[in-house]
Amino acid sequence: MTAMTTTTLHKAAVVVADERPRERRRGLAPGKRLPAARLAGPLLVLALWALASAAEALDPAAIPAPWTVVETGAQLWTDGTLVTDILTSLQRAASGFAIGLTAGIVLALASGLTRTGEALIDGTVNLNRAIPTLGLIPLFILWLGIGETFKIAIIAIVVYIPIYLNTHAALSGIDNRFVELAEVQGLSKPRFIREIVIPGALPGFFVGLRLGVTGSWLGLVVLEQINATSGLGYMMFQATNYGQSDVILVGLVVYGVFGLISDSTVRLIERRVLSWRRTLSS
């Protein structure tokens, strides 16, 4: 009787212990995404810049105050100069980016899906990657002239290399078990590429796409200072000759805004396309 009572009490104690609210462990994930969190850093930099300018801790001739840069930008916009330069830069960046994007995707698919393509393409692209792209400018000027063509060609090279490398790495990293499963299921080559290869390579492709978008703006800054008559880089180069640091900062701010907008756009598309993934950033 005593043994039965003891057993019963023990079971009751276990049940009561299980019904107690368990202490919740602290999650290892970063937590929920904050709205517009990526703007916190730039806004902090802007606030520090404004505070330093208001406290006269910065030399106005070297680093003008934010409100001075805004006034200069508004004046350039009203004059029509800034509008023309922005449109010219956007056209150059878009043309070079479109060519680089197409070349990167085509070469990555040809190299990642066939051994012959890998043998012919991968080594050549990596050799091109090892050569500083901006170091090709003198040679491209001799080949294509000093007009718009060589600028677009250089931007295309800057763009296609990261897109190719990341897409090719994603293609090569697809688990071989998926290939074996596709063979067992009797999938055709087009269906295998459409249902397994492309979804598996998309994460790497988007990483390369973000790097390519950023690279197009970085290359544009240098290229527009070479025999250009318009563009943000040309505007900044002319401002350097006259010591107009406020104009230079206007150009840098515009470049930064366009870079942030384009990167955020790619991130948004990536989240929509890869909504099936469960990652730390989800």
Side-chain angles (χ1 to χ4, degrees), residues 71-87:
E71 291 175 0
T72 302
Q75 181 180 356
L76 292 173
W77 183 274
T78 304
D79 296 341
T81 305
L82 187 59
V83 178
T84 303
D85 291 333
I86 288 177
L87 292 177

PDB file of all heavy atoms in Angstrom, residues 71-87:
ATOM      1  N   GLU A  71      21.675  72.989 -49.801  1.00  0.00           N
ATOM      2  CA  GLU A  71      21.463  74.236 -50.547  1.00  0.00           C
ATOM      3  C   GLU A  71      22.158  74.189 -51.906  1.00  0.00           C
ATOM      4  O   GLU A  71      21.586  74.608 -52.925  1.00  0.00           O
ATOM      5  CB  GLU A  71      21.984  75.419 -49.735  1.00  0.00           C
ATOM      6  CG  GLU A  71      21.166  75.725 -48.482  1.00  0.00           C
ATOM      7  CD  GLU A  71      21.792  76.833 -47.658  1.00  0.00           C
ATOM      8  OE1 GLU A  71      22.854  77.348 -48.077  1.00  0.00           O
ATOM      9  OE2 GLU A  71      21.223  77.181 -46.602  1.00  0.00           O
ATOM     10  N   THR A  72      23.387  73.682 -51.930  1.00  0.00           N
ATOM     11  CA  THR A  72      24.112  73.578 -53.193  1.00  0.00           C
ATOM     12  C   THR A  72      23.409  72.620 -54.147  1.00  0.00           C
ATOM     13  O   THR A  72      23.277  72.892 -55.344  1.00  0.00           O
ATOM     14  CB  THR A  72      25.550  73.101 -52.935  1.00  0.00           C
ATOM     15  OG1 THR A  72      26.202  74.007 -52.041  1.00  0.00           O
ATOM     16  CG2 THR A  72      26.332  73.009 -54.242  1.00  0.00           C
ATOM     17  N   GLY A  73      22.955  71.472 -53.605  1.00  0.00           N
ATOM     18  CA  GLY A  73      22.242  70.508 -54.444  1.00  0.00           C
ATOM     19  C   GLY A  73      20.962  71.088 -55.011  1.00  0.00           C
ATOM     20  O   GLY A  73      20.632  70.876 -56.186  1.00  0.00           O
ATOM     21  N   ALA A  74      20.228  71.847 -54.190  1.00  0.00           N
ATOM     22  CA  ALA A  74      18.990  72.470 -54.666  1.00  0.00           C
ATOM     23  C   ALA A  74      19.278  73.494 -55.760  1.00  0.00           C
ATOM     24  O   ALA A  74      18.541  73.594 -56.752  1.00  0.00           O
ATOM     25  CB  ALA A  74      18.262  73.133 -53.501  1.00  0.00           C
ATOM     26  N   GLN A  75      20.370  74.240 -55.599  1.00  0.00           N
ATOM     27  CA  GLN A  75      20.727  75.232 -56.614  1.00  0.00           C
ATOM     28  C   GLN A  75      21.115  74.562 -57.927  1.00  0.00           C
ATOM     29  O   GLN A  75      20.701  74.992 -59.014  1.00  0.00           O
ATOM     30  CB  GLN A  75      21.885  76.089 -56.098  1.00  0.00           C
ATOM     31  CG  GLN A  75      22.314  77.181 -57.078  1.00  0.00           C
ATOM     32  CD  GLN A  75      23.466  78.020 -56.541  1.00  0.00           C
ATOM     33  OE1 GLN A  75      23.893  77.831 -55.397  1.00  0.00           O
ATOM     34  NE2 GLN A  75      23.973  78.933 -57.355  1.00  0.00           N
ATOM     35  N   LEU A  76      21.913  73.484 -57.837  1.00  0.00           N
ATOM     36  CA  LEU A  76      22.300  72.753 -59.048  1.00  0.00           C
ATOM     37  C   LEU A  76      21.092  72.122 -59.720  1.00  0.00           C
ATOM     38  O   LEU A  76      21.021  72.046 -60.950  1.00  0.00           O
ATOM     39  CB  LEU A  76      23.334  71.679 -58.703  1.00  0.00           C
ATOM     40  CG  LEU A  76      24.712  72.169 -58.249  1.00  0.00           C
ATOM     41  CD1 LEU A  76      25.572  70.999 -57.775  1.00  0.00           C
ATOM     42  CD2 LEU A  76      25.413  72.909 -59.388  1.00  0.00           C
ATOM     43  N   TRP A  77      20.140  71.662 -58.915  1.00  0.00           N
ATOM     44  CA  TRP A  77      18.919  71.071 -59.477  1.00  0.00           C
ATOM     45  C   TRP A  77      18.085  72.137 -60.180  1.00  0.00           C
ATOM     46  O   TRP A  77      17.550  71.898 -61.275  1.00  0.00           O
ATOM     47  CB  TRP A  77      18.117  70.412 -58.369  1.00  0.00           C
ATOM     48  CG  TRP A  77      16.880  69.711 -58.856  1.00  0.00           C
ATOM     49  CD1 TRP A  77      15.648  70.259 -59.065  1.00  0.00           C
ATOM     50  CD2 TRP A  77      16.771  68.334 -59.201  1.00  0.00           C
ATOM     51  NE1 TRP A  77      14.776  69.321 -59.517  1.00  0.00           N
ATOM     52  CE2 TRP A  77      15.426  68.118 -59.614  1.00  0.00           C
ATOM     53  CE3 TRP A  77      17.657  67.262 -59.193  1.00  0.00           C
ATOM     54  CZ2 TRP A  77      14.975  66.860 -60.004  1.00  0.00           C
ATOM     55  CZ3 TRP A  77      17.203  66.010 -59.593  1.00  0.00           C
ATOM     56  CH2 TRP A  77      15.874  65.824 -59.993  1.00  0.00           C
ATOM     57  N   THR A  78      17.978  73.293 -59.566  1.00  0.00           N
ATOM     58  CA  THR A  78      17.218  74.380 -60.179  1.00  0.00           C
ATOM     59  C   THR A  78      17.859  74.838 -61.481  1.00  0.00           C
ATOM     60  O   THR A  78      17.151  75.134 -62.464  1.00  0.00           O
ATOM     61  CB  THR A  78      17.132  75.569 -59.202  1.00  0.00           C
ATOM     62  OG1 THR A  78      16.551  75.121 -57.974  1.00  0.00           O
ATOM     63  CG2 THR A  78      16.277  76.685 -59.781  1.00  0.00           C
ATOM     64  N   ASP A  79      19.180  74.898 -61.515  1.00  0.00           N
ATOM     65  CA  ASP A  79      19.884  75.299 -62.733  1.00  0.00           C
ATOM     66  C   ASP A  79      19.767  74.273 -63.850  1.00  0.00           C
ATOM     67  O   ASP A  79      20.033  74.586 -65.014  1.00  0.00           O
ATOM     68  CB  ASP A  79      21.370  75.544 -62.433  1.00  0.00           C
ATOM     69  CG  ASP A  79      21.560  76.716 -61.478  1.00  0.00           C
ATOM     70  OD1 ASP A  79      20.626  77.525 -61.342  1.00  0.00           O
ATOM     71  OD2 ASP A  79      22.651  76.808 -60.870  1.00  0.00           O
ATOM     72  N   GLY A  80      19.390  73.041 -63.513  1.00  0.00           N
ATOM     73  CA  GLY A  80      19.297  71.981 -64.504  1.00  0.00           C
ATOM     74  C   GLY A  80      20.577  71.200 -64.681  1.00  0.00           C
ATOM     75  O   GLY A  80      20.587  70.181 -65.383  1.00  0.00           O
ATOM     76  N   THR A  81      21.657  71.646 -64.056  1.00  0.00           N
ATOM     77  CA  THR A  81      22.947  70.957 -64.200  1.00  0.00           C
ATOM     78  C   THR A  81      22.906  69.570 -63.576  1.00  0.00           C
ATOM     79  O   THR A  81      23.337  68.580 -64.189  1.00  0.00           O
ATOM     80  CB  THR A  81      24.065  71.778 -63.533  1.00  0.00           C
ATOM     81  OG1 THR A  81      24.072  73.086 -64.080  1.00  0.00           O
ATOM     82  CG2 THR A  81      25.419  71.130 -63.760  1.00  0.00           C
ATOM     83  N   LEU A  82      22.389  69.490 -62.362  1.00  0.00           N
ATOM     84  CA  LEU A  82      22.363  68.207 -61.647  1.00  0.00           C
ATOM     85  C   LEU A  82      21.456  67.204 -62.338  1.00  0.00           C
ATOM     86  O   LEU A  82      21.772  66.009 -62.401  1.00  0.00           O
ATOM     87  CB  LEU A  82      21.910  68.438 -60.203  1.00  0.00           C
ATOM     88  CG  LEU A  82      21.978  67.233 -59.267  1.00  0.00           C
ATOM     89  CD1 LEU A  82      23.393  66.692 -59.178  1.00  0.00           C
ATOM     90  CD2 LEU A  82      21.456  67.601 -57.877  1.00  0.00           C
ATOM     91  N   VAL A  83      20.343  67.663 -62.868  1.00  0.00           N
ATOM     92  CA  VAL A  83      19.416  66.764 -63.555  1.00  0.00           C
ATOM     93  C   VAL A  83      20.084  66.130 -64.764  1.00  0.00           C
ATOM     94  O   VAL A  83      20.017  64.906 -64.977  1.00  0.00           O
ATOM     95  CB  VAL A  83      18.145  67.521 -63.982  1.00  0.00           C
ATOM     96  CG1 VAL A  83      17.208  66.591 -64.748  1.00  0.00           C
ATOM     97  CG2 VAL A  83      17.437  68.113 -62.776  1.00  0.00           C
ATOM     98  N   THR A  84      20.770  66.940 -65.570  1.00  0.00           N
ATOM     99  CA  THR A  84      21.457  66.432 -66.758  1.00  0.00           C
ATOM    100  C   THR A  84      22.544  65.439 -66.387  1.00  0.00           C
ATOM    101  O   THR A  84      22.679  64.370 -67.015  1.00  0.00           O
ATOM    102  CB  THR A  84      22.070  67.600 -67.550  1.00  0.00           C
ATOM    103  OG1 THR A  84      21.041  68.531 -67.892  1.00  0.00           O
ATOM    104  CG2 THR A  84      22.754  67.100 -68.811  1.00  0.00           C
ATOM    105  N   ASP A  85      23.321  65.759 -65.360  1.00  0.00           N
ATOM    106  CA  ASP A  85      24.408  64.872 -64.948  1.00  0.00           C
ATOM    107  C   ASP A  85      23.866  63.547 -64.416  1.00  0.00           C
ATOM    108  O   ASP A  85      24.424  62.479 -64.689  1.00  0.00           O
ATOM    109  CB  ASP A  85      25.265  65.556 -63.878  1.00  0.00           C
ATOM    110  CG  ASP A  85      26.069  66.722 -64.440  1.00  0.00           C
ATOM    111  OD1 ASP A  85      26.377  66.693 -65.637  1.00  0.00           O
ATOM    112  OD2 ASP A  85      26.379  67.652 -63.682  1.00  0.00           O
ATOM    113  N   ILE A  86      22.781  63.602 -63.650  1.00  0.00           N
ATOM    114  CA  ILE A  86      22.196  62.367 -63.120  1.00  0.00           C
ATOM    115  C   ILE A  86      21.678  61.476 -64.243  1.00  0.00           C
ATOM    116  O   ILE A  86      21.919  60.253 -64.255  1.00  0.00           O
ATOM    117  CB  ILE A  86      21.066  62.704 -62.127  1.00  0.00           C
ATOM    118  CG1 ILE A  86      21.639  63.266 -60.830  1.00  0.00           C
ATOM    119  CG2 ILE A  86      20.224  61.460 -61.828  1.00  0.00           C
ATOM    120  CD1 ILE A  86      20.590  63.700 -59.828  1.00  0.00           C
ATOM    121  N   LEU A  87      20.968  62.053 -65.193  1.00  0.00           N
ATOM    122  CA  LEU A  87      20.426  61.264 -66.302  1.00  0.00           C
ATOM    123  C   LEU A  87      21.540  60.629 -67.123  1.00  0.00           C
ATOM    124  O   LEU A  87      21.442  59.470 -67.550  1.00  0.00           O
ATOM    125  CB  LEU A  87      19.540  62.144 -67.182  1.00  0.00           C
ATOM    126  CG  LEU A  87      18.231  62.629 -66.559  1.00  0.00           C
ATOM    127  CD1 LEU A  87      17.479  63.549 -67.509  1.00  0.00           C
ATOM    128  CD2 LEU A  87      17.355  61.457 -66.154  1.00  0.00           C
TER     129      LEU A  87
END
